[in-house]
Coordinates of all heavy atoms in Angstrom, one line a residue:
M156 N -107.1 37.6 54.5 CA -106.9 36.5 55.5 C -105.8 35.6 55.1 O -105.0 35.2 55.9 CB -108.2 35.8 55.7 CG -108.2 35.0 57.0 SD -108.0 36.1 58.5 CE -109.5 35.7 59.3
P157 N -105.6 35.2 53.8 CA -104.6 34.3 53.4 C -103.2 34.9 53.7 O -102.3 34.2 54.0 CB -104.8 34.1 51.9 CG -106.2 34.5 51.6 CD -106.5 35.5 52.7
A158 N -103.0 36.2 53.5 CA -101.7 36.8 53.8 C -101.3 36.6 55.3 O -100.2 36.4 55.6 CB -101.7 38.3 53.4
A159 N -102.3 36.8 56.2 CA -102.0 36.6 57.6 C -101.6 35.1 57.8 O -100.7 34.9 58.6 CB -103.2 36.9 58.4
F160 N -102.3 34.2 57.1 CA -101.9 32.8 57.3 C -100.5 32.5 56.8 O -99.7 31.8 57.5 CB -102.9 31.9 56.5 CG -102.5 30.5 56.4 CD1 -102.7 29.7 57.5 CD2 -101.9 29.9 55.3 CE1 -102.4 28.3 57.5 CE2 -101.6 28.6 55.3 CZ -101.8 27.8 56.4
A161 N -100.1 33.1 55.7 CA -98.8 32.9 55.2 C -97.7 33.5 56.2 O -96.7 32.9 56.4 CB -98.6 33.6 53.8
Q162 N -98.1 34.6 56.8 CA -97.1 35.2 57.7 C -96.9 34.3 58.9 O -95.8 34.1 59.4 CB -97.7 36.6 58.1 CG -96.6 37.5 58.7 CD -97.1 39.0 58.8 OE1 -98.3 39.2 58.8 NE2 -96.2 39.9 58.9
T163 N -98.0 33.7 59.4 CA -97.9 32.8 60.5 C -97.1 31.6 60.1 O -96.3 31.1 60.9 CB -99.3 32.4 61.0 OG1 -100.1 33.6 61.3 CG2 -99.3 31.5 62.2
E164 N -97.4 31.0 59.0 CA -96.7 29.9 58.5 C -95.3 30.1 58.3 O -94.4 29.3 58.7 CB -97.3 29.4 57.1 CG -98.5 28.6 57.2 CD -98.2 27.2 57.8 OE1 -97.3 26.5 57.3 OE2 -99.0 26.8 58.7
A165 N -94.9 31.3 57.7 CA -93.5 31.6 57.5 C -92.7 31.9 58.7 O -91.5 31.6 58.8 CB -93.4 32.8 56.5
S166 N -93.4 32.3 59.8 CA -92.7 32.7 61.0 C -92.4 31.4 61.8 O -91.5 31.4 62.7 CB -93.4 33.7 61.8 OG -94.7 33.2 62.2
A167 N -93.1 30.3 61.6 CA -92.9 29.1 62.3 C -91.6 28.5 61.8 O -91.3 28.5 60.6 CB -94.1 28.1 62.1
Q168 N -90.8 27.9 62.7 CA -89.6 27.3 62.4 C -89.8 25.9 61.7 O -90.4 25.1 62.3 CB -88.7 27.1 63.6 CG -88.2 28.3 64.2 CD -87.0 28.9 63.4 OE1 -87.2 29.3 62.3 NE2 -85.9 29.0 64.0
P169 N -89.4 25.8 60.5 CA -89.6 24.5 59.8 C -88.7 23.4 60.5 O -87.6 23.7 60.9 CB -89.1 24.8 58.4 CG -88.2 25.9 58.5 CD -88.7 26.7 59.7
S170 N -89.2 22.2 60.6 CA -88.4 21.2 61.2 C -88.1 20.1 60.2 O -87.4 19.1 60.6 CB -89.2 20.6 62.4 OG -90.4 20.0 62.0
S171 N -88.5 20.2 59.0 CA -88.2 19.2 58.0 C -88.1 19.8 56.6 O -88.6 21.0 56.4 CB -89.2 18.1 58.0 OG -90.4 18.6 57.5
A172 N -87.5 19.1 55.7 CA -87.4 19.6 54.3 C -88.8 19.8 53.7 O -89.1 20.7 52.9 CB -86.6 18.7 53.4
E173 N -89.8 18.9 54.1 CA -91.1 19.0 53.6 C -91.8 20.3 54.1 O -92.5 21.0 53.3 CB -92.0 17.8 54.0 CG -91.5 16.5 53.4 CD -90.3 15.9 54.1 OE1 -90.1 16.2 55.3 OE2 -89.6 15.1 53.4
E174 N -91.6 20.6 55.3 CA -92.2 21.9 55.9 C -91.6 23.1 55.2 O -92.2 24.1 54.9 CB -92.0 22.0 57.4 CG -92.8 21.0 58.2 CD -92.6 21.2 59.7 OE1 -92.2 22.2 60.1 OE2 -92.9 20.2 60.4
C175 N -90.3 23.0 54.9 CA -89.6 24.1 54.2 C -90.3 24.3 52.8 O -90.6 25.4 52.4 CB -88.1 23.8 54.0 SG -87.1 24.0 55.5
K176 N -90.5 23.2 52.1 CA -91.1 23.3 50.8 C -92.5 23.9 50.8 O -92.9 24.7 50.0 CB -91.1 21.9 50.1 CG -89.8 21.4 49.7 CD -89.3 22.2 48.5 CE -88.0 21.6 48.0 NZ -87.3 22.5 47.0
A177 N -93.2 23.5 51.8 CA -94.6 23.9 52.0 C -94.6 25.4 52.3 O -95.4 26.2 51.7 CB -95.3 23.2 53.1
Q178 N -93.8 25.9 53.2 CA -93.7 27.3 53.5 C -93.2 28.1 52.4 O -93.7 29.2 52.1 CB -92.8 27.5 54.8 CG -93.4 27.0 56.1 CD -92.6 27.3 57.3 OE1 -91.6 28.0 57.2 NE2 -92.9 26.7 58.4
E179 N -92.3 27.6 51.6 CA -91.8 28.2 50.4 C -92.9 28.4 49.4 O -93.1 29.5 48.8 CB -90.6 27.4 49.8 CG -90.0 28.1 48.6 CD -88.8 27.2 48.1 OE1 -88.1 26.6 48.9 OE2 -88.7 27.2 46.9
A180 N -93.7 27.4 49.2 CA -94.8 27.5 48.2 C -95.8 28.5 48.6 O -96.3 29.3 47.8 CB -95.5 26.1 48.1
V181 N -96.1 28.6 49.9 CA -97.1 29.6 50.4 C -96.6 31.0 50.2 O -97.3 31.9 49.7 CB -97.4 29.4 51.9 CG1 -98.2 30.5 52.5 CG2 -98.2 28.1 52.1
L182 N -95.3 31.2 50.5 CA -94.7 32.5 50.3 C -94.6 32.9 48.9 O -94.9 34.1 48.5 CB -93.3 32.6 51.0 CG -93.2 32.6 52.5 CD1 -91.8 32.4 53.0 CD2 -93.8 33.9 53.0
E183 N -94.3 32.0 48.0 CA -94.2 32.3 46.6 C -95.6 32.6 46.0 O -95.7 33.6 45.2 CB -93.6 31.2 45.8 CG -92.1 31.1 46.1 CD -91.4 29.9 45.4 OE1 -92.1 29.0 45.0 OE2 -90.2 29.8 45.4
R184 N -96.6 31.9 46.5 CA -98.0 32.2 46.0 C -98.4 33.6 46.5 O -99.0 34.4 45.7 CB -98.9 31.1 46.6 CG -100.4 31.3 46.1 CD -101.4 30.6 47.0 NE -101.4 31.3 48.3 CZ -101.6 30.6 49.5 NH1 -101.8 29.4 49.5 NH2 -101.6 31.3 50.6
D185 N -98.1 33.9 47.8 CA -98.5 35.2 48.3 C -97.7 36.3 47.6 O -98.2 37.4 47.4 CB -98.3 35.3 49.8 CG -99.3 34.5 50.6 OD1 -100.3 34.0 49.9 OD2 -99.1 34.3 51.8
M186 N -96.4 36.1 47.2 CA -95.7 37.1 46.5 C -96.3 37.4 45.1 O -96.4 38.5 44.7 CB -94.2 36.6 46.3 CG -93.4 36.7 47.6 SD -91.7 36.0 47.4 CE -91.1 36.9 46.1
A187 N -96.7 36.3 44.5 CA -97.4 36.5 43.2 C -98.7 37.2 43.3 O -99.0 38.1 42.5 CB -97.6 35.1 42.5
L188 N -99.4 37.0 44.3 CA -100.7 37.7 44.6 C -100.4 39.1 44.9 O -101.1 40.0 44.3 CB -101.4 37.0 45.8 CG -102.8 37.6 46.1 CD1 -103.7 37.4 44.9 CD2 -103.3 36.8 47.3
A189 N -99.4 39.4 45.7 CA -99.1 40.8 46.0 C -98.6 41.5 44.8 O -99.0 42.7 44.6 CB -98.0 40.9 47.1
R190 N -97.8 40.9 44.0 CA -97.3 41.5 42.7 C -98.5 41.8 41.8 O -98.6 42.9 41.2 CB -96.3 40.6 42.0 CG -95.7 41.2 40.8 CD -94.6 40.3 40.1 NE -94.6 38.9 40.5 CZ -93.7 38.3 41.3 NH1 -92.8 39.0 41.9 NH2 -93.8 37.0 41.5
S191 N -99.5 40.9 41.7 CA -100.6 41.1 40.8 C -101.5 42.2 41.3 O -102.2 42.9 40.5 CB -101.4 39.8 40.7 OG -102.1 39.5 41.9
R192 N -101.5 42.5 42.6 CA -102.3 43.6 43.2 C -101.6 44.9 43.3 O -102.1 45.8 43.8 CB -102.8 43.2 44.6 CG -103.8 42.0 44.5 CD -104.2 41.7 45.9 NE -105.2 40.6 45.9 CZ -105.7 40.1 47.0 NH1 -105.2 40.4 48.2 NH2 -106.6 39.1 46.9
G193 N -100.3 44.9 42.8 CA -99.5 46.1 42.9 C -99.0 46.4 44.3 O -98.6 47.5 44.5
Q194 N -99.0 45.4 45.2 CA -98.5 45.6 46.5 C -97.0 45.3 46.6 O -96.6 44.3 47.1 CB -99.3 44.7 47.5 CG -100.8 45.0 47.5 CD -101.6 44.0 48.3 OE1 -101.1 42.8 48.4 NE2 -102.7 44.4 48.8
M195 N -96.2 46.2 46.1 CA -94.8 46.0 45.9 C -94.1 45.9 47.3 O -93.2 45.1 47.5 CB -94.1 47.0 45.0 CG -94.7 46.9 43.6 SD -95.0 45.3 43.0 CE -93.4 44.8 42.5
L196 N -94.5 46.7 48.3 CA -93.9 46.7 49.6 C -94.2 45.3 50.2 O -93.3 44.7 50.8 CB -94.4 47.8 50.5 CG -93.9 47.8 51.9 CD1 -92.4 47.9 51.9 CD2 -94.5 49.0 52.7
R197 N -95.4 44.9 50.1 CA -95.8 43.5 50.7 C -95.0 42.4 50.0 O -94.5 41.5 50.6 CB -97.3 43.3 50.5 CG -97.8 41.9 50.8 CD -97.9 41.8 52.3 NE -98.4 40.5 52.6 CZ -98.0 39.7 53.6 NH1 -97.0 40.1 54.4 NH2 -98.5 38.5 53.8
R198 N -94.9 42.5 48.6 CA -94.1 41.5 47.9 C -92.7 41.5 48.4 O -92.1 40.5 48.5 CB -94.2 41.8 46.4 CG -93.6 40.7 45.6 CD -93.1 41.1 44.2 NE -91.9 42.0 44.3 CZ -90.7 41.6 44.6 NH1 -90.4 40.3 44.8 NH2 -89.7 42.5 44.7
R199 N -92.1 42.7 48.6 CA -90.7 42.8 49.1 C -90.5 42.2 50.5 O -89.6 41.5 50.8 CB -90.2 44.3 49.1 CG -88.8 44.5 49.5 CD -87.9 43.9 48.5 NE -86.6 43.8 49.1 CZ -85.7 42.9 48.8 NH1 -85.9 42.1 47.9 NH2 -84.5 42.9 49.4
E200 N -91.5 42.4 51.4 CA -91.5 41.8 52.7 C -91.5 40.3 52.6 O -90.8 39.6 53.3 CB -92.6 42.4 53.5 CG -92.5 43.8 53.9 CD -93.8 44.4 54.6 OE1 -94.9 43.7 54.5 OE2 -93.7 45.5 55.1
L201 N -92.4 39.8 51.7 CA -92.5 38.4 51.5 C -91.2 37.8 51.0 O -90.8 36.7 51.3 CB -93.7 38.0 50.6 CG -95.1 38.3 51.3 CD1 -96.1 38.2 50.2 CD2 -95.3 37.3 52.4
A202 N -90.5 38.5 50.1 CA -89.3 38.1 49.5 C -88.2 38.0 50.6 O -87.4 37.1 50.6 CB -88.8 39.0 48.4
D203 N -88.2 39.0 51.5 CA -87.2 38.9 52.6 C -87.5 37.7 53.5 O -86.6 37.1 53.9 CB -87.3 40.2 53.4 CG -86.8 41.4 52.6 OD1 -86.1 41.3 51.6 OD2 -87.1 42.6 53.1
T204 N -88.8 37.5 53.7 CA -89.2 36.3 54.6 C -88.8 35.0 53.9 O -88.3 34.1 54.5 CB -90.7 36.3 54.8 OG1 -91.1 37.6 55.5 CG2 -91.1 35.2 55.7
L205 N -88.9 35.0 52.6 CA -88.6 33.8 51.8 C -87.0 33.6 51.9 O -86.6 32.5 52.0 CB -89.0 33.9 50.3 CG -88.7 32.7 49.4 CD1 -89.4 31.5 49.9 CD2 -89.2 33.1 48.0
S206 N -86.3 34.7 51.8 CA -84.8 34.6 51.9 C -84.4 34.0 53.2 O -83.5 33.1 53.3 CB -84.2 35.9 51.6 OG -82.8 35.9 51.8
A207 N -85.0 34.5 54.3 CA -84.7 34.0 55.6 C -85.1 32.5 55.8 O -84.4 31.7 56.4 CB -85.5 34.8 56.7
L208 N -86.2 32.2 55.2 CA -86.6 30.8 55.2 C -85.6 29.9 54.5 O -85.3 28.8 55.0 CB -88.0 30.6 54.5 CG -88.6 29.2 54.4 CD1 -88.8 28.6 55.8 CD2 -89.8 29.1 53.5
H209 N -85.1 30.3 53.4 CA -84.1 29.6 52.6 C -82.9 29.3 53.5 O -82.3 28.2 53.5 CB -83.7 30.3 51.3 CG -84.7 30.1 50.3 ND1 -84.8 31.0 49.3 CD2 -85.6 29.2 50.0 CE1 -85.8 30.7 48.4 NE2 -86.3 29.5 48.9
Q210 N -82.5 30.4 54.3 CA -81.3 30.2 55.1 C -81.6 29.2 56.2 O -80.7 28.4 56.5 CB -80.9 31.5 55.7 CG -80.3 32.5 54.7 CD -80.0 33.8 55.3 OE1 -80.4 34.2 56.4 NE2 -79.2 34.6 54.5
R211 N -82.8 29.3 56.8 CA -83.1 28.3 57.9 C -83.2 26.9 57.3 O -82.7 25.9 58.0 CB -84.4 28.7 58.6 CG -84.3 29.9 59.5 CD -85.6 30.0 60.3 NE -86.8 30.1 59.6 CZ -87.4 31.2 59.1 NH1 -86.8 32.4 59.4 NH2 -88.5 31.1 58.5
C212 N -83.8 26.7 56.2 CA -83.9 25.4 55.6 C -82.6 24.8 55.1 O -82.5 23.6 55.1 CB -84.9 25.5 54.4 SG -86.6 25.8 55.0
Q213 N -81.7 25.7 54.7 CA -80.4 25.2 54.3 C -79.7 24.4 55.4 O -79.0 23.4 55.2 CB -79.5 26.3 53.8 CG -78.3 25.9 53.1 CD -77.6 27.1 52.5 OE1 -77.8 28.3 52.8 NE2 -76.6 26.8 51.6
A214 N -79.9 24.9 56.6 CA -79.3 24.3 57.8 C -79.9 22.9 58.0 O -79.3 22.0 58.6 CB -79.5 25.1 59.0
L215 N -81.2 22.7 57.6 CA -81.8 21.4 57.7 C -81.5 20.4 56.7 O -81.7 19.2 56.8 CB -83.4 21.6 57.7 CG -84.0 22.4 58.9 CD1 -85.5 22.6 58.6 CD2 -83.8 21.6 60.2
A216 N -81.0 20.9 55.6 CA -80.6 20.0 54.4 C -79.5 19.0 54.8 O -78.6 19.4 55.5 CB -80.2 20.8 53.2
P217 N -79.7 17.8 54.5 CA -78.7 16.8 54.8 C -77.4 17.1 54.1 O -77.4 17.5 52.9 CB -79.3 15.5 54.3 CG -80.3 15.8 53.4 CD -80.8 17.2 53.7
M218 N -76.3 16.9 54.8 CA -75.0 17.2 54.2 C -74.5 16.0 53.3 O -74.8 14.9 53.7 CB -73.9 17.4 55.3 CG -73.9 18.8 55.9 SD -72.4 19.0 56.8 CE -73.1 19.4 58.4
S219 N -73.8 16.4 52.3 CA -73.2 15.3 51.5 C -72.1 14.6 52.3 O -71.6 15.2 53.2 CB -72.7 15.9 50.2 OG -71.6 16.7 50.4
R220 N -71.7 13.5 51.8 CA -70.6 12.8 52.5 C -69.4 13.6 52.5 O -68.7 13.7 53.5 CB -70.4 11.4 51.8 CG -69.3 10.6 52.4 CD -69.2 9.3 51.6 NE -68.2 8.4 52.2 CZ -66.9 8.5 51.9 NH1 -66.4 9.3 51.0 NH2 -66.0 7.7 52.5
E221 N -69.1 14.2 51.4 CA -67.9 15.1 51.2 C -67.9 16.3 52.2 O -66.9 16.6 52.8 CB -67.7 15.6 49.8 CG -67.4 14.5 48.8 CD -68.6 13.7 48.4 OE1 -69.7 14.2 48.5 OE2 -68.4 12.6 47.9
A222 N -69.1 16.9 52.3 CA -69.3 18.0 53.2 C -69.1 17.6 54.7 O -68.5 18.3 55.5 CB -70.6 18.7 53.0
R223 N -69.6 16.4 55.0 CA -69.4 15.9 56.4 C -68.0 15.7 56.7 O -67.5 16.0 57.8 CB -70.3 14.7 56.6 CG -71.7 14.9 56.7 CD -72.5 13.7 57.3 NE -72.1 12.4 56.8 CZ -72.6 11.7 55.8 NH1 -73.6 12.2 55.1 NH2 -72.1 10.5 55.5
I224 N -67.3 15.1 55.7 CA -65.8 14.8 55.9 C -65.1 16.1 56.1 O -64.2 16.2 57.0 CB -65.3 14.0 54.7 CG1 -65.9 12.5 54.8 CG2 -63.8 14.0 54.7 CD1 -65.5 11.7 53.5
E225 N -65.3 17.0 55.2 CA -64.6 18.3 55.3 C -64.9 19.0 56.7 O -64.0 19.5 57.3 CB -65.1 19.2 54.2 CG -64.4 20.5 54.1 CD -64.8 21.4 52.9 OE1 -64.9 20.8 51.8 OE2 -64.9 22.6 53.1
K226 N -66.2 19.0 57.1 CA -66.5 19.6 58.4 C -65.8 18.9 59.6 O -65.2 19.5 60.4 CB -68.0 19.5 58.6 CG -68.5 20.1 59.9 CD -70.0 20.0 60.1 CE -70.4 20.6 61.4 NZ -71.3 19.8 62.2
L227 N -65.7 17.6 59.5 CA -65.0 16.8 60.6 C -63.5 17.1 60.6 O -62.9 17.3 61.6 CB -65.3 15.3 60.5 CG -66.7 14.9 60.9 CD1 -66.9 13.5 60.5 CD2 -66.9 15.1 62.4
E228 N -62.9 17.2 59.4 CA -61.5 17.5 59.3 C -61.2 18.9 59.8 O -60.2 19.1 60.5 CB -61.0 17.4 57.8 CG -61.0 15.9 57.3 CD -60.6 15.8 55.9 OE1 -60.8 16.8 55.1 OE2 -60.2 14.7 55.5
R229 N -62.1 19.8 59.5 CA -61.9 21.2 60.0 C -62.0 21.2 61.5 O -61.2 21.9 62.2 CB -63.0 22.1 59.4 CG -62.8 23.6 59.6 CD -63.7 24.4 58.8 NE -65.1 24.0 58.7 CZ -65.7 23.5 57.7 NH1 -65.1 23.4 56.5 NH2 -67.0 23.1 57.7
E230 N -63.0 20.5 62.1 CA -63.1 20.4 63.6 C -61.8 19.8 64.2 O -61.3 20.2 65.2 CB -64.3 19.6 64.0 CG -65.6 20.3 63.7 CD -66.8 19.4 64.0 OE1 -66.7 18.3 64.7 OE2 -67.9 19.8 63.6
I231 N -61.3 18.7 63.5 CA -60.1 18.1 64.0 C -58.9 19.1 64.0 O -58.1 19.1 65.0 CB -59.7 16.8 63.2 CG1 -60.8 15.7 63.5 CG2 -58.3 16.3 63.5 CD1 -60.7 14.5 62.6
R232 N -58.7 19.8 62.9 CA -57.7 20.8 62.9 C -57.8 21.8 64.0 O -56.8 22.2 64.7 CB -57.6 21.5 61.5 CG -57.1 20.7 60.4 CD -56.8 21.5 59.2 NE -58.0 22.1 58.6 CZ -58.8 21.5 57.7 NH1 -58.5 20.3 57.3 NH2 -59.9 22.1 57.3
T233 N -59.0 22.3 64.3 CA -59.3 23.2 65.3 C -58.9 22.7 66.7 O -58.2 23.3 67.5 CB -60.7 23.7 65.3 OG1 -61.0 24.3 64.1 CG2 -61.0 24.7 66.4
L234 N -59.3 21.4 66.9 CA -59.0 20.8 68.2 C -57.5 20.6 68.4 O -57.0 20.7 69.5 CB -59.8 19.5 68.3 CG -61.3 19.6 68.5 CD1 -62.0 18.2 68.3 CD2 -61.6 20.2 69.8
R235 N -56.8 20.2 67.3 CA -55.4 20.0 67.4 C -54.7 21.3 67.7 O -53.7 21.3 68.5 CB -54.8 19.4 66.1 CG -55.1 17.9 65.9 CD -54.4 17.4 64.7 NE -54.7 15.9 64.6 CZ -54.8 15.3 63.5 NH1 -54.7 15.9 62.4 NH2 -55.1 14.0 63.6
T236 N -55.1 22.4 67.1 CA -54.5 23.7 67.4 C -54.7 24.1 68.9 O -53.8 24.5 69.5 CB -55.2 24.8 66.5 OG1 -54.9 24.4 65.1 CG2 -54.6 26.1 66.7
E237 N -56.0 23.8 69.4 CA -56.2 24.1 70.8 C -55.4 23.2 71.7 O -54.9 23.7 72.7 CB -57.7 23.9 71.1 CG -58.6 25.0 70.4 CD -60.1 24.7 70.6 OE1 -60.4 23.8 71.5 OE2 -60.9 25.3 69.9
L238 N -55.2 22.0 71.3 CA -54.4 21.1 72.1 C -53.0 21.5 72.2 O -52.3 21.5 73.2 CB -54.5 19.6 71.6 CG -53.7 18.6 72.3 CD1 -54.1 18.5 73.8 CD2 -53.8 17.2 71.6
E239 N -52.4 21.9 71.0 CA -51.0 22.4 71.0 C -50.9 23.6 71.8 O -49.9 23.8 72.5 CB -50.6 22.7 69.5 CG -50.5 21.4 68.7 CD -50.3 21.7 67.2 OE1 -50.3 22.9 66.8 OE2 -50.3 20.7 66.4
R240 N -51.8 24.5 71.8 CA -51.8 25.7 72.6 C -51.8 25.4 74.1 O -51.0 25.9 74.9 CB -52.9 26.6 72.3 CG -52.8 28.0 72.9 CD -53.9 29.0 72.4 NE -54.2 28.9 71.0 CZ -55.4 28.7 70.5 NH1 -56.4 28.5 71.2 NH2 -55.5 28.7 69.2
A241 N -52.7 24.4 74.5 CA -52.7 24.0 75.9 C -51.5 23.3 76.3 O -51.0 23.6 77.4 CB -53.9 23.1 76.1
E242 N -50.9 22.5 75.5 CA -49.6 21.8 75.8 C -48.5 22.8 76.0 O -47.7 22.7 76.9 CB -49.3 20.8 74.7 CG -50.2 19.5 74.8 CD -49.9 18.6 73.7 OE1 -49.4 19.0 72.6 OE2 -50.2 17.4 73.8
A243 N -48.5 23.9 75.1 CA -47.4 24.9 75.2 C -47.6 25.7 76.5 O -46.6 26.0 77.2 CB -47.5 25.9 74.1
Q244 N -48.8 25.9 76.9 CA -49.1 26.6 78.2 C -48.6 25.7 79.4 O -48.0 26.2 80.3 CB -50.5 27.0 78.4 CG -51.0 28.1 77.5 CD -52.5 28.4 77.6 OE1 -53.3 27.5 78.1 NE2 -52.9 29.6 77.2
L245 N -48.9 24.4 79.3 CA -48.5 23.5 80.3 C -47.0 23.5 80.5 O -46.4 23.5 81.6 CB -49.1 22.1 80.0 CG -48.7 21.0 81.0 CD1 -49.2 21.4 82.4 CD2 -49.2 19.7 80.6
R246 N -46.3 23.4 79.3 CA -44.8 23.4 79.4 C -44.3 24.7 80.0 O -43.4 24.6 80.8 CB -44.3 23.2 77.9 CG -44.3 21.8 77.4 CD -43.5 21.6 76.1 NE -44.0 22.5 75.0 CZ -45.0 22.2 74.2 NH1 -45.6 21.0 74.3 NH2 -45.4 23.0 73.2
S247 N -44.9 25.8 79.7 CA -44.5 27.1 80.2 C -44.7 27.1 81.7 O -43.8 27.5 82.5 CB -45.3 28.2 79.5 OG -45.0 29.4 80.1
V248 N -45.8 26.6 82.2 CA -46.1 26.6 83.6 C -45.1 25.7 84.3 O -44.6 26.0 85.4 CB -47.5 26.2 83.9 CG1 -47.8 25.9 85.4 CG2 -48.5 27.3 83.4
K249 N -44.8 24.5 83.8 CA -43.9 23.5 84.4 C -42.5 24.1 84.4 O -41.8 23.7 85.3 CB -43.9 22.2 83.6 CG -45.2 21.4 83.9 CD -45.1 20.0 83.2 CE -46.2 19.1 83.5 NZ -46.1 17.8 82.8
S250 N -42.1 24.9 83.4 CA -40.7 25.4 83.4 C -40.5 26.6 84.3 O -39.4 27.0 84.5 CB -40.3 25.7 82.0 OG -41.1 26.8 81.5
E251 N -41.6 27.2 84.8 CA -41.4 28.3 85.7 C -40.8 27.8 87.0 O -41.0 26.7 87.5 CB -42.8 28.9 86.0 CG -43.4 29.6 84.9 CD -44.8 30.2 85.2 OE1 -45.3 29.9 86.3 OE2 -45.4 30.8 84.3
S252 N -40.0 28.7 87.6 CA -39.4 28.3 88.9 C -40.4 28.5 90.0 O -41.2 29.4 90.0 CB -38.2 29.2 89.2 OG -38.1 30.3 88.4
P253 N -40.4 27.5 90.9 CA -41.3 27.5 92.0 C -41.3 28.7 92.9 O -40.5 29.4 93.1 CB -41.0 26.2 92.8 CG -39.9 25.6 92.1 CD -39.5 26.4 91.0

């Protein structure tokens, strides 16, 4: 029964860092239990679930100031490139003969 609980817990989308930690603890406990029982396939499935959880939780982690600045600068460069492309298209359309 605890394994089914862990599977349900792990499949739920964490909405906070605390939930991530709690789900991670449950998965790690279940992995240790599976390993002790020789259930290597089950342990591997739990490891895959834990890896997916880490990826989801990483998105929830607060960004550092430097990371936020870098992200915004990257967005600005992208927007400037799109603006330059749109302005070039506009010039091209305006220069066409009627």
Side-chain angles (χ1 to χ4, degrees):
M156 200 64 121
F160 174 75
Q162 202 166 19
T163 303
E164 277 292 309
S166 63
Q168 289 285 63
S170 61
S171 69
E173 292 80 23
E174 287 181 24
C175 285
K176 289 288 185 192
Q178 289 182 13
E179 182 179 324
V181 169
L182 286 169
E183 288 174 350
R184 184 199 67 214
D185 287 350
M186 284 173 59
L188 183 62
R190 185 177 17 256
S191 72
R192 291 180 178 173
Q194 299 171 333
M195 299 318 282
L196 178 59
R197 174 77 177 136
R198 192 208 63 79
R199 180 68 194 151
E200 290 170 347
L201 290 167
D203 291 344
T204 303
L205 181 60
S206 176
L208 176 66
H209 283 153
Q210 289 178 346
R211 287 191 305 267
C212 290
Q213 190 174 14
L215 292 175
M218 279 195 237
S219 69
R220 180 177 182 274
E221 294 79 20
R223 287 193 323 263
I224 290 171
E225 185 176 318
K226 181 180 179 227
L227 288 170
E228 287 175 339
R229 193 170 40 250
E230 288 176 14
I231 289 169
R232 284 192 299 272
T233 300
L234 290 170
R235 283 185 178 148
T236 301
E237 290 175 14
L238 178 60
E239 289 170 4
R240 190 176 315 123
E242 287 174 335
Q244 288 176 341
L245 178 61
R246 283 190 299 273
S247 174
V248 169
K249 283 184 174 181
S250 68
E251 291 176 359
S252 17

